[in-house]
Amino acid sequence: MIKVLEGRWKLPILLQLSRSGAMRFSDLARSIPNISKRMLTQQLKQMQADGLVRRLILDGTATRVEYQLTDWGRALRPSLASLVEWAQKCPGHVKGPATSHRKVD
């Protein structure tokens, strides 16, 4: 099951959706530095297939598409909060997605 969280971008996407609720694609793209639109599209499709994210099509004066966490995705919130807390305690050891990966001993 941990495979559904694998990859450079899934945790930042989950964190943004956890904090903001439903988000439009463009807002989500702006909120995650250095992610390409192609990569965001790919990751969202994978996360939809894995049952973490739901794509909502909202009709109104103009059709809008938003993404939000499913119930299973929202169940990750306590774990995500713990990861953020852990990262904030050790800021010199944890680098964001825009930097190179460090080998973990």
Side-chain angles (χ1 to χ4, degrees):
M1 280 303 178
I2 197 75
K3 191 151 183 85
V4 299
L5 300 177
E6 242 178 26
R8 179 177 181 178
W9 300 107
K10 288 183 182 173
L11 286 176
I13 293 168
L14 287 169
L15 282 168
Q16 285 302 319
L17 291 175
S18 178
R19 291 176 182 148
S20 302
M23 293 183 77
R24 295 179 72 174
F25 181 90
S26 58
D27 295 332
L28 190 53
R30 274 193 299 274
S31 71
I32 302 171
N34 301 316
I35 191 169
S36 69
K37 291 180 181 181
R38 181 174 177 235
M39 181 57 67
L40 180 57
T41 298
Q42 178 185 5
Q43 296 296 290
L44 286 168
K45 283 182 181 180
Q46 285 179 0
M47 293 167 73
Q48 282 177 261
D50 291 334
L52 293 171
V53 172
R54 175 181 301 119
R55 183 176 187 258
L56 303 168
I57 299 173
L58 307 170
D59 289 325
T61 54
T63 301
R64 274 184 21 193
V65 176
E66 292 184 344
Y67 295 88
Q68 68 178 200
L69 296 178
T70 62
D71 290 341
W72 193 49
R74 282 191 298 276
L76 283 169
R77 282 181 174 157
S79 298
L80 293 171
S82 294
L83 281 172
V84 169
E85 183 181 333
W86 169 78
Q88 289 172 341
K89 288 180 183 177
C90 310
H93 296 285
V94 179
K95 295 186 179 191
T99 61
S100 62
H101 292 283
R102 291 178 64 175
K103 184 178 176 183
V104 178
D105 297 332

